[in-house]
């Protein structure tokens, strides 16, 4: 079952069943926002709303992503990146035990089926620049700024 939710970044589709949420993705086309939401998806909808309202930093609803064992290992590592922080693809590869697997890690990161919840937007280049984001770099920048807003400079 898929439901559509309006977010500050566009329409988000949430797909799942009694076994958990298998996919959350941002879509660029307009669509009707879901009114009737099945009970097993309500926690995801509520938590995503709380996240965008600045009231939630960690998701804990039931997940059931589809992927290879390696992809799932990468996605588990992504879930350890704290809210408001970033890491590089190289750091992630080292953490997973193989610095040479950087391209495989980047590929698995790009195939993350759980937009925002598994925070692939928190992975950046080693030089600090933004790269590769399925939802568009402007959304990645928005999310990083939302999670770690720049400090207000003093006027005087």
């Amino acid at each position: 079952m898929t439901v559509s939710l309006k977010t500050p970044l566009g329409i988000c589709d949430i797909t799942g069943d009694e076994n958990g949420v298998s996919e959350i993705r941002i879509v660029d086309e307009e669509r009707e926002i879901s009114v009737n939401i099945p009970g097993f998806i309500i926690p995801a909808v509520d938590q995503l709303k709380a996240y965008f309202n600045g009231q939630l930093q960690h998701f804990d609803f039931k997940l059931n992503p589809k992927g290879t064992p390696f992809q799932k290992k990468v996605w588990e590592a992504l879930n350890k990146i704290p809210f408001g922080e970033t890491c590089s693809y190289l750091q992630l590869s080292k953490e997973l035990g193989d610095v040479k697997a950087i391209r495989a890690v980047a590929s698995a990161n790009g195939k993350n089926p759980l937009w925002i919840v598994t925070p692939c937007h928190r992975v950046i280049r080693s030089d600090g620049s933004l790269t590769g984001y399925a939802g568009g770099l402007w959304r990645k920048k928005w999310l990083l700024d939302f999670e770690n807003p720049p400090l207000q400079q003093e006027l005087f």
Side-chain angles (χ1 to χ4, degrees):
M1 170 105 214
T2 298
V3 300
S4 297
L5 171 71
K6 183 173 177 62
T7 76
L9 297 173
I11 305 298
C12 165
D13 282 350
I14 305 166
T15 303
D17 58 24
E18 292 83 6
N19 296 315
V21 172
S22 57
E23 183 178 22
I24 300 173
R25 64 187 185 100
I26 191 75
V27 294
D28 286 321
E29 60 271 4
E30 285 297 314
R31 63 184 67 206
E32 197 170 310
I33 303 305
S34 300
V35 178
N36 296 322
I37 300 170
F40 51 83
I41 293 184
I42 289 174
V45 169
D46 289 347
Q47 288 184 33
L48 281 164
K49 286 179 180 178
Y51 169 85
F52 282 114
N53 286 328
Q55 301 167 329
L56 185 80
Q57 296 183 355
H58 177 75
F59 300 93
D60 64 3
F61 55 87
K62 191 174 180 182
L63 302 175
N64 188 24
K66 308 290 186 254
T68 67
F70 179 77
Q71 288 171 333
K72 289 181 178 183
K73 184 178 173 182
V74 172
W75 301 337
E76 287 173 22
L78 293 173
N79 285 325
K80 295 176 185 171
I81 304 170
F83 182 92
E85 295 184 23
T86 59
C87 83
S88 70
Y89 292 99
L90 181 59
Q91 287 172 299
L92 203 53
S93 298
K94 286 179 182 176
E95 192 173 305
L96 291 167
D98 187 358
V99 70
K100 294 178 183 172
I102 190 167
R103 288 183 185 210
V105 167
S107 176
N109 190 59
K111 289 180 173 68
N112 169 28
L114 296 167
W115 181 65
I116 296 179
V117 174
T118 296
C120 58
H121 61 277
R122 296 181 189 153
V123 183
I124 59 174
R125 286 188 177 159
S126 295
D127 66 4
S129 64
L130 303 186
T131 186
Y133 191 65
L137 286 181
W138 72 271
R139 286 188 178 109
K140 183 172 189 162
K141 180 174 179 356
W142 189 98
L143 289 165
L144 293 174
D145 288 346
F146 176 73
E147 292 185 359
N148 191 12
L151 295 174
Q152 175 68 41
Q153 295 181 359
E154 290 186 37
L155 298 176
F156 304 100

